[in-house]
């Protein structure tokens, strides 16, 4: 078996394969060696310049002993796939369900999640978005501290476990999106930068930035693109959600994201199914999702936090931090019709002009992934409280109705649909005491700036913080669950509710009442605590969150905190 590793500055590299030590040969910055005794299941690593430490392979496909252990040879061809009839799932018209493998089920494994696939299929989910599943330090973590970008976390089930999950999801008619983090390495087990100039001189929120445009950046870019392609090709996944792409600093003529989009499009043509790239971006710039022939990067979609902020602030009344500019009915109208609220406008939170307008006649709404709740917006609250801890049952139903009748691609966060009350808190399991203490201290200091006492902020390293964040499947609101199922079904059967044309959305608001015209359908929401009668000239209900609603030939009377579709 041939082994290769990129180590451009090394003077000597030794392959440690099983119990054998084999000097490697330099070949234009790459080092190579052959071990005829190695194969699937062989443990191996590399030592650099005479050092005693054996490092894992930066491109390791498996880390059975964790991020600090040796790599293990893994042959993708040994898995027999059963999804031959799968033709993929396009983003347009889809509903996404975001979940964290470690807390979605009691077992916290891919196999445990497989058992819930019939439930997700009956809910109407089209695409499952998995929080990062590549290897990270410890047994449990959100996944954004990953260091092995080509390997699958062993505590979830390793590479075969992920393949079983994707295979089963496809056979259930559901696609799978992987959350991929390419903007930084985690704080422990990041041995990859010891092999070469993977990091730049710059830094971002999480540490050193990736070297995307400095000397020897070509192999770093290749490293990232190859990681992305393997999730789509070797694990049969249907898309990637690319974490915080605004932190990918690339001053080259062809941005990494554009280069990735080109290769993913080529792979899509080869495998004969749609492959979707979704960017998380703080830029409010539709250039990411503009076609390459029109000067854009050619990604299929991006997260749109402005929609979340508009909904959250309007429903909860919260105005702290980045919610300061949001919450008004006029703000809701702007984001529903134009996707972004900040589009070349003043951002009070940033204290500068932010964003650029979306050409709503050219860019369809489905290219914006939106939500009421997600892992960030819940987990980055001090106590990880969901909307069920804040909103009345009526407003929870109104929020679901607005989300699932929007012109955007709706995404649910695990348990949202049945009114989960378990928190989703920030948790880690770093075995290094110093790192564990630093993470907890940083978390407490961060929230102290916003008025939270240290006693209120859960310790990320406390095993109870992880345990509390598991879904409680026994504590469901069956009425809310049925409402979500009904709304998703209506979205899939009534063209006007899934119509992505932003220039066909028209919002009128008056004293706590929203009226949204969506093609041949009208969505009405009463956000007040009193019944309201709205002159509509409508004559039939398609759906209502409160059976006490009354429609007449010339008016609609909605109970307090309720919504209807006409």
């Amino acid at each position: 078996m041939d082994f290769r590793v990129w180590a451009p500055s090394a003077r000597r590299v030794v392959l440690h394969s099983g119990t054998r030590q084999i000097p490697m040969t330099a070949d234009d910055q790459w080092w190579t060696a052959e071990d005829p005794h190695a194969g699937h299941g062989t443990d191996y690593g590399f030592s650099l310049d005479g050092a005693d430490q054996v490092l894992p392979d930066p491109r390791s496909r498996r880390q059975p002993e964790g991020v600090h252990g040796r790599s293990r040879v893994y042959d993708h061809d040994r898995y027999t796939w059963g999804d031959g009839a799968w033709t993929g799932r396009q983003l347009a018209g889809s509903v996404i369900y975001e979940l964290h493998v470690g807390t979605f089920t009691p077992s916290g494994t891919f196999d445990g999640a497989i058992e819930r696939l019939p439930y997700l299929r009956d809910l109407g989910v089209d695409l499952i978005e998995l929080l990062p599943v590549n290897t990270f330090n410890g047994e449990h973590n959100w996944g954004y501290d990953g260091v092995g970008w080509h390997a699958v976390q062993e505590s979830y089930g390793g590479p075969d476990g992920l393949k079983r999950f994707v295979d089963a999801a496809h056979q259930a008619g559901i696609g799978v999106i992987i959350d991929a983090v390419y903007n930084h390495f985690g704080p422990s087990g990041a041995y990859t930068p010891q092999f070469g100039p993977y990091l730049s001189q710059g830094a971002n929120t999480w540490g050193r930035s990736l070297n995307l445009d400095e000397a020897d950046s070509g192999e770093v870019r290749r490293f990232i693109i190859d990681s992305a392609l393997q999730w789509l090709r070797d694990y049969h996944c249907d898309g990637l959600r690319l974490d915080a792409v605004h932190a990918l600093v690339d001053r080259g003529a062809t941005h990494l994201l554009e280069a990735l989009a080109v290769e993913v499009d080529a792979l899509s043509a080869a495998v004969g199914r749609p492959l979707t790239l979704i960017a998380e971006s703080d830029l409010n710039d539709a250039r990411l999702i503009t076609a390459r022939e029109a000067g854009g990067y050619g990604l299929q979609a991006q997260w749109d936090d402005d929609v979340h902020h508009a909904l959250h602030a309007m429903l909860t009344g919260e105005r702290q931090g980045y919610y300061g500019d949001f919450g008004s009915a006029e703000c809701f109208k702007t984001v529903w019709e134009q996707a972004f609220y900040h589009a070349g406008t003043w951002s009070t939170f940033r204290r500068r002009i932010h964003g650029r307008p979306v050409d709503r006649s050219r860019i369809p709404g489905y290219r914006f992934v939106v939500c009421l709740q997600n892992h960030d917006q819940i987990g980055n609250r001090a106590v990880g409280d969901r909307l069920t801890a804040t909103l009345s049952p009526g407003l929870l139903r109104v929020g679901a109705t607005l989300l699932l009748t929007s012109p955007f691609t709706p995404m649910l966060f695990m348990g949202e649909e049945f009114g989960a009350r378990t928190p989703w808190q920030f948790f880690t399991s770093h075995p290094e005491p110093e790192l564990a203490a630093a993470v907890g201290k940083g978390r407490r200091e961060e929230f102290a700036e916003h008025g939270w006492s240290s006693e209120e902020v859960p310790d990320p390293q406390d095993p109870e913080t992880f345990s509390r964040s598991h879904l409680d499947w026994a504590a469901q609101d069956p009425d809310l669950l049925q409402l979500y199922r009904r709304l998703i079904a209506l979205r899939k059967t009534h063209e006007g509710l899934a119509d992505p044309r932003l220039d066909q959305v028209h919002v009128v608001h008056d004293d706590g009442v929203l009226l949204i015209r969506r093609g041949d359908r009208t969505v009405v929401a009463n956000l007040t605590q009193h019944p309201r009668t709205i002159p509509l000239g409508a004559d039939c209900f398609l759906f209502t969150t409160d059976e006490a609603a009354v429609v007449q030939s010339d008016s609609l009377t909605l109970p307090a905190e309720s919504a209807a579709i006409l």
Side-chain angles (χ1 to χ4, degrees), residues 403-486:
L403 175 71
L404 290 167
T405 59
S406 76
F408 312 111
T409 296
M411 184 180 75
L412 315 181
F413 182 67
M414 59 179 191
E416 168 189 334
E417 75 283 359
F418 63 71
R421 293 187 173 274
T422 48
W424 166 253
Q425 298 176 336
F426 181 69
F427 48 81
T428 55
S429 58
H430 296 301
E432 302 91 342
E434 300 81 4
L435 178 57
V439 170
K441 179 175 181 290
R443 191 77 174 170
R444 290 190 298 273
E445 291 176 349
E446 176 185 355
F447 284 104
E449 297 175 359
H450 300 283
W452 296 84
S453 68
S454 60
E455 291 77 15
E456 294 177 282
V457 182
D459 179 2
Q461 286 285 126
D462 185 347
E464 285 301 310
T465 304
F466 174 60
S467 297
R468 281 191 298 269
S469 298
H470 279 73
L471 277 184
D472 182 357
W473 287 90
Q476 297 188 11
D477 179 342
D479 293 334
L480 184 61
L481 177 57
Q482 181 57 31
L483 178 137
Y484 268 84
R485 284 176 173 159
R486 179 82 192 286

Side-chain angles (χ1 to χ4, degrees), residues 544-561:
T544 179
T545 63
D546 192 321
E547 296 300 328
V550 177
V551 65
Q552 297 177 321
S553 60
D554 60 351
S555 66
L556 166 68
T557 299
L558 276 181
E561 298 181 345

Side-chain angles (χ1 to χ4, degrees), residues 206-461:
W206 307 281
R208 293 275 297 279
S209 300
L210 270 292
N211 173 19
L212 303 180
D213 56 9
E214 297 172 6
D216 292 320
S217 59
E219 290 294 349
V220 180
R221 294 164 69 94
R222 189 70 254 165
F223 176 77
I224 295 171
I225 292 173
D226 286 348
S227 167
L229 293 178
Q230 67 132 14
W231 299 119
L232 304 174
R233 180 191 58 240
D234 301 327
Y235 290 95
H236 288 204
C237 291
D238 302 279
L240 301 176
R241 180 264 192 188
L242 303 169
D243 183 70
V245 299
H246 49 269
L248 296 171
V249 178
D250 184 358
R251 293 174 290 269
T254 302
H255 193 282
L256 173 71
L257 294 175
E258 182 181 352
L260 176 59
V262 169
E263 298 210 26
V264 169
D265 283 352
L267 179 61
S268 176
V271 299
R273 55 187 171 88
L275 299 175
T276 299
L277 293 176
I278 304 171
E280 181 202 18
S281 173
D282 187 41
L283 301 178
N284 279 22
D285 186 353
R287 179 174 10 183
L288 292 166
I289 55 175
T290 298
R292 293 192 301 278
E293 53 267 35
Y297 289 172
L299 307 183
Q300 282 71 38
Q302 66 183 89
W303 275 26
D304 187 345
D305 281 349
D306 281 17
V307 172
H308 168 270
H309 298 348
L311 277 173
H312 183 94
M314 181 177 69
L315 294 170
T316 66
E318 293 182 6
R319 297 293 187 275
Q320 75 275 17
Y322 49 67
Y323 293 133
D325 291 340
F326 297 87
S328 68
E330 188 61 27
C331 169
F332 176 88
K333 171 182 170 66
T334 299
V335 297
W336 239 243
E337 294 180 349
Q338 302 178 34
F340 294 145
Y341 184 62
H342 289 305
T345 57
W346 178 261
S347 166
T348 303
F349 178 71
R350 297 174 181 84
R351 298 179 64 186
R352 61 172 174 80
I353 300 296
H354 183 64
R356 69 165 68 187
V358 171
D359 183 347
R360 61 189 195 136
S361 66
R362 181 172 55 88
I363 298 179
Y366 77 80
R367 292 190 180 275
F368 300 93
V369 175
V370 304
C371 65
L372 271 173
Q373 305 178 77
N374 65 36
H375 75 275
D376 267 337
Q377 301 302 338
I378 301 173
N380 287 333
R381 297 170 68 85
V383 296
D385 51 317
R386 295 170 177 260
L387 284 178
T388 46
T390 305
L391 295 183
S392 66
L395 287 180
L396 280 175
R397 287 158 171 73
V398 171
T401 303
L402 294 174
L403 175 71
L404 290 167
T405 59
S406 76
F408 312 111
T409 296
M411 184 180 75
L412 315 181
F413 182 67
M414 59 179 191
E416 168 189 334
E417 75 283 359
F418 63 71
R421 293 187 173 274
T422 48
W424 166 253
Q425 298 176 336
F426 181 69
F427 48 81
T428 55
S429 58
H430 296 301
E432 302 91 342
E434 300 81 4
L435 178 57
V439 170
K441 179 175 181 290
R443 191 77 174 170
R444 290 190 298 273
E445 291 176 349
E446 176 185 355
F447 284 104
E449 297 175 359
H450 300 283
W452 296 84
S453 68
S454 60
E455 291 77 15
E456 294 177 282
V457 182
D459 179 2
Q461 286 285 126

Side-chain angles (χ1 to χ4, degrees), residues 506-527:
H506 304 284
V507 179
V508 177
H509 57 87
D510 180 37
D511 194 21
V513 174
L514 299 171
L515 189 150
I516 307 151
R517 298 200 182 278
R518 301 274 286 109
D520 59 349
R521 299 296 173 185
T522 301
V523 180
V524 188
N526 176 12
L527 303 175

